[in-house]
Amino acid sequence: LCDNPLARGWVAGVSTSTAKLTTLWTTEAQTTATKPLGTIWEGGGELVSDGPGQIIFATGNGATPPVGSTAPHTLGNSIVRLAVGSTGKLAESDYFAPYNADTLDINDQDLGSGAPTLLPATFGTSSHPSVILQGGKEGYLYLLDAAHFGGRGATTNNVLGKFGLYGRIFSQPAVYPGEGGYVYSITSGPLLAFKNTPTTAGGPHLSKVGQSSATFYFTSSSAVVTSDGTTPGSGLVWAIQSPTKDGLNSNLVAFKAVPAGGVLTQVFSGPIG
């Protein structure tokens, strides 16, 4: 869409019995902005859910929410939770936007260039049992409490962790819950590995522990993890590595899930055309 002024983000509800449209919801429902946008882009990702009637996604540049915690009707550069009502109607129930969301919009640094990942319960703590991770074009990864995104702060981010600055992110983080727990994010640069390292105060936290020597252009895929459950040594991280924006000479690559000496060890590479 490339910031086309007519673009907005939409979520549609369709009846599984009649195949007819039942409801529509838009990210920019009440704005007079000439370029509302707020499209649901999420390069390499999808909508996620953590329970019945719950839908979570991220949005790109657009009319941003004001400072506060009540979900508004202008939700550009936000992570949004929708609730599905008893009649099928969709309504925003929670959101997060970086404090500098307006600057992100001006500088074309969409938060929603990446997609959110709900992390396994082992990444949570007693104070924050459910956590979610989101990366964007600015190059930061945000760790949030999935039960309370926190809205938008005036001068700081209401987040559990903000990690970066890395290369631009156009992907969805992948997770390996074995061997202590790891998360992987493809940036416009290397594939990064983070370990689950709760703080001494009992808060969720991720520590960068490794990266690939291979580099990834923004047209690369999201990472995908395969393993034999949580059996030590069985985890592999897969991705399509594109060295150019047009995808020429791309390869399917795989790395050991647990870094060694700060390096993700590559164990496979095959051309895909």
Side-chain angles (χ1 to χ4, degrees):
L1 296 172
C2 296
D3 292 341
N4 186 306
L6 300 180
R8 296 185 189 218
W10 293 89
V11 177
V14 178
S15 169
T16 57
S17 59
T18 66
K20 292 183 178 180
L21 184 70
T22 59
T23 187
L24 275 174
W25 178 92
T26 181
T27 58
E28 303 282 11
Q30 294 183 5
T31 176
T32 58
T34 57
K35 192 179 75 169
L37 298 173
T39 54
I40 303 171
W41 172 9
E42 299 192 342
E46 65 280 316
L47 308 183
V48 297
S49 177
D50 57 359
Q54 300 297 312
I55 302 171
I56 301 169
F57 55 86
T59 66
N61 293 329
T64 53
V67 172
S69 58
T70 302
H73 297 290
T74 54
L75 286 162
N77 279 319
S78 301
I79 303 173
V80 183
R81 179 186 289 276
L82 292 185
V84 184
S86 58
T87 63
K89 183 178 180 180
L90 299 167
E92 58 271 22
S93 62
D94 197 5
Y95 81 102
F96 161 78
Y99 74 91
N100 63 338
D102 295 326
T103 301
L104 298 184
D105 182 45
I106 293 170
N107 294 337
D108 189 23
Q109 294 177 309
D110 312 63
L111 178 66
S113 63
T117 294
L118 286 157
L119 302 184
T122 50
F123 285 76
T125 64
S126 57
S127 56
H128 302 282
S130 179
V131 290
I132 191 168
L133 188 66
Q134 169 76 35
K137 202 191 292 184
E138 188 182 19
Y140 287 106
L141 285 162
Y142 292 94
L143 185 65
L144 306 174
D145 187 324
H148 180 62
F149 291 167
R152 181 183 177 190
T155 57
T156 59
N157 291 302
N158 185 15
V159 298
L160 302 178
K162 180 182 178 183
F163 313 109
L165 195 63
Y166 308 119
R168 298 182 299 167
I169 297 171
F170 297 84
S171 60
Q172 187 169 36
V175 185
Y176 173 50
E179 302 178 72
Y182 291 83
V183 173
Y184 311 91
S185 179
I186 288 179
T187 67
S188 295
L191 166 65
L192 304 179
F194 300 83
K195 189 170 185 180
N196 179 26
T197 54
T199 66
T200 55
H205 186 73
L206 299 172
S207 297
K208 180 176 174 290
V209 292
Q211 64 184 54
S212 66
S213 58
T215 57
F216 294 75
Y217 207 81
F218 79 86
T219 45
S220 301
S221 73
S222 291
V224 175
V225 171
T226 61
S227 68
D228 181 9
T230 57
T231 302
S234 70
L236 291 173
V237 186
W238 300 80
I240 295 174
Q241 176 203 13
S242 295
T244 61
K245 67 179 180 180
D246 53 19
L248 292 175
N249 302 313
S250 293
N251 292 281
L252 175 65
V253 294
F255 304 84
K256 290 184 178 180
V258 177
V263 177
L264 282 164
T265 303
Q266 186 168 325
V267 295
F268 176 81
S269 177
I272 62 170

